[in-house]
Amino acid sequence: MALKSTVFKANLAVADIDHGYYADHALTLARHPSETDERMMIRLVALALNAHALQTVCGGDGTLAFGAGLSDPNEPDAWLRDFTGRTRLWIEVGQPDDSALAKACRQADQVAAYAFSYAADVWWRGIETKLTRLPNLEVWRIPAEASQQVAQLAQRSMQLQATIQEGTLMLGDGQRSVDIEPQRWK
């Protein structure tokens, strides 16, 4: 018998000072049985860092949501689609291989990959030269310490505030807060 995903609800208040974007998002995250709290929360971090694209790319007329993630390797971890259904932003989390990123780059206008954990540096050294031919790809590194701290914010029902200023995301739940400064690799 297959295990079912665990459903998490998050009310995310985004204040992106860098992009002048302020909005509340009611989100549902389905955590696959093999997914850790750390990976699930990095999906949420990636969505928060890119929420401004809903306004800057789609003029507010689009859908920003989580994809099937680990349940379907052909879907992104999160995406932004405009009102025509066109995928404007494809977000991957973890350490995807170059063929998966190339496929995503063919299916979306822009692709952002967010690597985390201590193994991310090894993954990047092995894949970096293979990704140079993908002009619509950005690769970001979330520091391992920050990704481990953000995992501690995971609860079945979350009220989170995300403030983005000068490239740093401050994510908190009213009691705890984590500062995340993504490093751009590509």
Side-chain angles (χ1 to χ4, degrees), residues 116-138:
F116 65 98
S117 84
Y118 292 106
D121 293 322
V122 174
W123 167 79
W124 179 243
R125 284 193 300 273
I127 201 169
E128 179 179 11
T129 57
K130 297 175 184 177
L131 302 180
T132 57
R133 60 184 163 74
L134 303 173
N136 60 332
L137 172 68
E138 292 181 356

Side-chain angles (χ1 to χ4, degrees), residues 120-171:
D121 293 322
V122 174
W123 167 79
W124 179 243
R125 284 193 300 273
I127 201 169
E128 179 179 11
T129 57
K130 297 175 184 177
L131 302 180
T132 57
R133 60 184 163 74
L134 303 173
N136 60 332
L137 172 68
E138 292 181 356
V139 179
W140 296 87
R141 164 81 155 106
I142 304 294
E145 299 80 20
S147 68
Q148 291 169 356
Q149 290 174 1
V150 81
Q152 295 172 10
L153 296 175
Q155 297 177 41
R156 293 288 298 271
S157 179
M158 298 177 270
Q159 300 289 327
L160 300 170
Q161 301 80 37
T163 303
I164 302 158
Q165 186 172 15
E166 297 179 7
T168 299
L169 168 66
M170 291 152 277
L171 185 67

